Amino acid sequence: MRVGEVAERAGVNVETLRYYERRGLLPEPARSPRGHRHYDEETVRFVRAIKEAQSLGFTLAEIEDFLGVVGRGRVAASEALRVRMAAKIDEVDSRIAGLRRVREGLARVVGCACDSLDHCTCGAAYLARRGRGPVVAGSLLHVTNGESAGNTIRQTTLGGAVLSWQDVLHEGPVPEGSRASLRTARAAFLAGCGWGSKRSLAGELERRDRQVVDALRDGRRVVLWFEHDLYDQLQLLDVLALVAESDVPFDTLELIVVGSFPGRPGFRGLGELSASELESLWGARAPATAAVAALAAEVWEAVRAPTPEGVALFAAAPRGLEGLPFAAAALQRLLDELPGVRDGLSGTERRALAAVAQGAATPVDAFLVSQSAEETPFLGDAWFFRALASLGSGEARLVETAAGDALPLPPPLGDAQTFGRLPLRPTRNGARVLAGKADRVALLGLDRWVGGTHLVPGAVWRWDGERSLLVAPPA
């Protein structure tokens, strides 16, 4: 075959074949007496194989390296192939996780109900303003837990900009130290969980903080909309502590913090309310006094402390915390995330494992069952899946797939739909832990943060939920 026919059959152009020859991927072809190159069927098959490998994400350099290795012998080739494929799978997984993060960001923009790029706090509006903050001079800044409640607030007639706090402070490190160091720690943790790059997350957190501080410094009204659960109460403490340390006036800061709503006996949060229902709460807003902000800062300092004794003291306040009516109960739930004295499970893990043991067939089923067992539900499905995956890893795992395999990476590092549909079953170890005959920490180890407390072997604080008692690590 002549070069043009080979190129056409292999689906490339002639210059590509010449390039492959110059790189040494294709051997120098035989020549006719008149000097014309002649190719065979093997050349066509090989070029097609190269293009297929490139479509899977392999570069020409990687293909060259691989061919150099496999040419050394059958045994070496087999092992080299496994190593190369495993590395490529990791690379593809990383790309998929990145695309999922992009999708989440786009979904937030699509779902944004703001009618003005000048006032919106979403990523698209931030880019459209060339990195400038929202224009909120002479108007309101609403601060709330996430986009669900935030978008509904945008649909009200109240006006102003809406800022979603969006940090799961009951997960990952919330260490003591400066505000900047806290943002750095949170960005690193969230990036490690697959929610974005460390740099972009740190930038988002810094912009978020700055918008609140600048609004108060400029005398704008800032209204904090939060509910009673652990997720919201930690965010509320975080916001108030930020204000308390920023040396800004308090006279334009107001609170709307609720634990119930008329006509909704099963009230779970602001996100389930309509625009008119949210607007009906406007008259119930109260000023955030300096005393309330100072108390919140003190509680937040206890949450960020390297040991949980201070949290336990605030959680046990006999009359609650004045001006923060839901904080004590939320802190009790935070303490329940420490390993239990009987089984080593956190409260979330215990509910997850019990749900699977009771017949929840998939992670989605287990999530729904465990949420119904929560007195005050606060957990999103992705973070529940992360807790479940931690129980389903390693040889001593407590839960596994119906095929007997360890659980894969949870979303957003793994695919949410695939993970959510996995068939589950408890292991023998899982049954023993639930019965109090084995300890989760002893079986699986532990490296986890609860607030500022880093739980690692030898420094495991535990919580006795039946007696509401904190148990220190053995001396």
Side-chain angles (χ1 to χ4, degrees):
M1 283 181 285
R2 300 288 291 270
V3 65
E5 182 181 357
V6 172
E8 181 178 359
R9 292 182 58 190
V12 299
N13 59 49
V14 173
E15 288 305 313
T16 298
L17 287 178
R18 300 276 193 252
Y19 180 64
Y20 287 174
E21 289 177 5
R22 289 197 299 271
R23 290 194 64 141
L25 279 169
L26 288 178
E28 182 74 21
R31 293 180 179 267
S32 70
R34 294 185 177 184
H36 297 299
R37 291 181 172 86
H38 281 276
Y39 301 87
D40 55 18
E41 289 290 338
E42 180 69 23
T43 303
V44 175
R45 287 195 296 269
F46 183 42
V47 173
R48 286 175 176 170
I50 291 174
K51 301 308 292 182
E52 183 175 345
Q54 286 182 303
S55 73
L56 293 174
F58 287 90
T59 65
L60 283 179
E62 289 173 329
I63 293 170
E64 288 173 330
D65 289 345
F66 176 68
L67 292 174
V69 172
V70 298
R72 298 171 190 162
R74 182 174 299 275
V75 174
S78 176
E79 179 62 26
L81 179 62
R82 285 194 293 270
V83 172
R84 294 283 182 177
M85 294 306 107
K88 187 54 64 175
I89 287 172
D90 288 342
E91 181 181 327
V92 170
D93 284 343
S94 177
R95 291 178 183 175
I96 290 173
L99 288 172
R100 286 201 188 98
R101 292 192 294 269
V102 171
R103 186 189 186 283
E104 290 292 330
L106 291 173
R108 286 196 294 271
V109 172
V110 169
C112 180
C114 187
D115 60 1
S116 169
L117 290 175
D118 288 335
H119 297 84
C120 188
T121 59
C122 77
Y126 177 72
L127 177 61
R129 295 190 301 267
R130 299 177 180 271
R132 294 190 299 272
V135 179
V136 294
S139 68
L140 297 169
L141 176 62
H142 305 277
V143 181
T144 191
N145 56 13
E147 289 302 325
S148 180
N151 278 330
T152 310
I153 293 173
R154 292 184 181 102
Q155 297 169 27
T156 67
T157 63
L158 298 173
V162 179
L163 176 65
S164 298
W165 209 246
Q166 285 191 208
D167 196 357
V168 283
L169 295 162
H170 51 81
E171 289 285 349
V174 188
E176 62 181 356
S178 68
R179 187 76 192 178
S181 67
L182 175 61
R183 288 194 296 262
T184 298
R186 296 305 300 167
F189 168 70
L190 294 170
C193 293
W195 294 103
S197 73
K198 181 178 176 180
R199 175 180 293 182
S200 65
L201 288 164
E204 290 173 11
L205 294 175
E206 194 277 331
R207 289 195 302 273
R208 180 201 67 183
D209 287 2
R210 188 173 64 245
Q211 287 180 55
V212 172
V213 172
D214 286 349
L216 290 172
R217 183 174 289 122
D218 293 342
R220 305 167 193 154
R221 177 182 288 174
V222 177
V223 182
L224 309 183
W225 299 71
F226 289 98
E227 59 212 40
H228 57 309
D229 61 44
L230 175 61
Y231 176 78
D232 275 49
Q233 289 297 299
L234 291 181
Q235 289 188 355
L236 177 61
L237 293 172
D238 187 25
V239 179
L240 290 173
L242 167 66
V243 172
E245 74 175 38
S246 299
D247 191 27
V248 292
F250 285 69
D251 52 330
T252 58
L253 182 64
E254 297 175 330
L255 302 176
I256 297 176
V257 185
V258 297
S260 60
F261 191 85
R264 289 184 178 267
F267 175 76
R268 290 195 171 189
L270 297 169
E272 68 185 21
L273 300 182
S274 67
S276 61
E277 288 173 326
L278 282 178
E279 200 161 341
S280 72
L281 297 172
W282 187 246
R285 67 192 187 281
T289 65
V292 169
L295 176 59
E298 189 178 352
V299 176
W300 189 233
E301 184 179 0
V303 171
R304 296 179 61 188
T307 60
E309 294 106 320
V311 174
L313 288 174
F314 283 117
R319 298 180 182 177
L321 302 174
E322 189 172 353
L324 301 169
F326 306 110
L331 294 176
Q332 280 268 347
R333 183 60 186 86
L334 180 64
L335 290 169
D336 195 41
E337 285 303 284
L338 296 171
V341 294
R342 178 173 174 268
D343 52 23
L345 295 166
S346 72
T348 297
E349 291 174 336
R350 189 175 301 109
R351 290 169 179 82
L353 187 56
V356 175
Q358 292 163 10
T362 66
V364 169
D365 294 335
F367 172 67
L368 296 174
V369 171
S370 66
Q371 289 296 281
S372 66
E374 286 275 7
E375 183 176 345
T376 306
F378 66 93
L379 201 62
D381 56 358
W383 295 101
F384 176 84
F385 291 163
R386 184 172 183 269
L388 189 63
S390 71
L391 299 179
S393 62
E395 292 297 321
R397 56 185 175 268
L398 311 186
V399 64
E400 61 189 10
T401 69
D405 297 323
L407 301 191
L409 288 173
L413 294 173
D415 181 69
Q417 292 187 355
T418 300
F419 190 94
R421 293 194 298 262
L422 288 171
L424 297 179
R425 69 183 185 190
T427 65
R428 182 180 178 185
N429 279 339
R432 292 179 63 236
V433 169
L434 274 179
K437 297 179 179 179
D439 186 81
R440 175 251 193 267
V441 177
L443 288 170
L444 301 181
L446 191 64
D447 187 352
R448 186 185 176 209
W449 291 76
V450 174
T453 302
H454 193 188
L455 303 166
V456 292
V460 179
W461 288 83
R462 295 183 182 246
W463 179 246
D464 186 338
E466 293 182 359
R467 297 189 295 165
S468 295
L469 182 65
L470 185 65
V471 180

